[in-house]
């Protein structure tokens, strides 16, 4: 007879890990981002499911851990351009609970550190005890987005 959960990791231990990490992210670290989801109702797509103009819903704040990668300068034909990326780590149970009910997706826009970032990839790299039933975190990688390509009202800086 096979088990569907790890033998040495009871659900109470997983709940303890989740509670401790939620308190760490929300109360101690205190990092957050504003997320803008693509408005499917307002964005028109062509025959191939693509759109030249995207519209976004009203943003909402989400707590997470953020790792800012060092910017790199690209020397191209038309001059220098600065490119930067961030990694955001969300706690899975925290996103699914309460009124948030949010999952990061490719194409979502993130407002952090006075810049807009577009999520390019989303993975779930961390499993408690390596068990797929105990998914713990979500990692989203985002690159800087140009303000001119977004349908978001500009801010004064």
């Amino acid at each position: 007879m096979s088990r569907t959960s790890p033998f040495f990791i009871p659900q109470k231990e997983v709940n303890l890990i989740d509670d401790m990490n939620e308190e760490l992210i929300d109360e101690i670290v205190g990092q957050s981002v504003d997320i803008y989801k693509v408005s499917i109702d307002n964005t028109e797509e062509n025959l191939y499911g693509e759109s030249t103009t995207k519209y976004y819903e009203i943003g909402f704040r989400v707590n997470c851990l953020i790792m800012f990668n060092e910017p790199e300068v690209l020397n191209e034909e038309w001059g220098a351009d600065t490119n930067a990326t961030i990694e955001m780590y969300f706690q899975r149970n925290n996103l699914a609970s309460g009124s948030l009910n949010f999952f990061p997706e490719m194409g979502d826009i993130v407002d952090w550190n006075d810049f807009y970032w577009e999520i390019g990839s989303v993975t779930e790299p961390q499993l408690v005890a390596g068990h797929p039933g105990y998914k713990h975190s979500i990692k989203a990688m985002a690159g800087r987005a140009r303000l001119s390509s977004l349908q978001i009202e500009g801010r004064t800086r």
Side-chain angles (χ1 to χ4, degrees):
M1 184 167 149
S2 66
R3 296 182 48 88
T4 58
S5 63
F7 185 73
F8 293 106
I9 308 289
Q11 185 63 44
K12 289 174 79 175
E13 295 295 325
V14 174
N15 293 343
L16 176 66
I17 292 169
D18 285 340
D19 290 342
M20 289 173 54
N21 283 325
E22 182 176 356
E23 184 176 350
L24 175 72
I25 291 171
D26 293 348
E27 306 296 330
I28 297 171
V29 176
Q31 291 180 326
S32 63
V33 295
D34 293 335
I35 303 283
Y36 298 90
K37 303 286 283 177
V38 174
S39 174
I40 297 172
D41 297 331
N42 296 329
T43 302
E44 294 182 21
E45 58 185 37
N46 62 15
L47 177 66
Y48 304 106
E50 301 168 340
S51 177
T52 57
T53 305
K54 294 180 186 175
Y55 295 95
Y56 297 90
E57 301 286 345
I58 296 174
F60 55 92
R61 185 153 291 168
V62 179
N63 293 329
C64 64
L65 296 176
I66 302 168
M67 185 170 88
F68 178 66
N69 299 321
E70 183 178 349
E72 60 181 341
V73 178
L74 305 171
N75 290 315
E76 296 182 0
E77 188 176 331
W78 296 282
D81 190 17
T82 304
N83 189 17
T85 60
I86 58 172
E87 297 176 16
M88 296 165 287
Y89 297 90
F90 302 97
Q91 186 183 8
R92 185 173 179 75
N93 288 346
N94 195 14
L95 296 181
S97 65
S99 63
L100 195 56
N101 198 14
F102 158 74
F103 189 87
E105 297 173 308
M106 288 176 47
D108 290 348
I109 298 297
V110 176
D111 183 1
W112 178 75
N113 194 23
D114 294 331
F115 290 104
Y116 289 108
W117 310 80
E118 184 173 2
I119 295 178
S121 69
V122 178
T123 58
E124 295 188 49
Q126 193 173 28
L127 306 174
V128 175
H131 192 274
Y134 292 151
K135 295 179 180 174
H136 180 68
S137 69
I138 298 169
K139 175 184 175 182
M141 298 201 53
R144 288 224 352 228
R146 298 195 185 282
L147 192 57
S148 61
S149 67
L150 303 176
Q151 303 299 323
I152 298 176
E153 191 171 317
R155 301 174 290 184
T156 56
R157 298 192 189 250

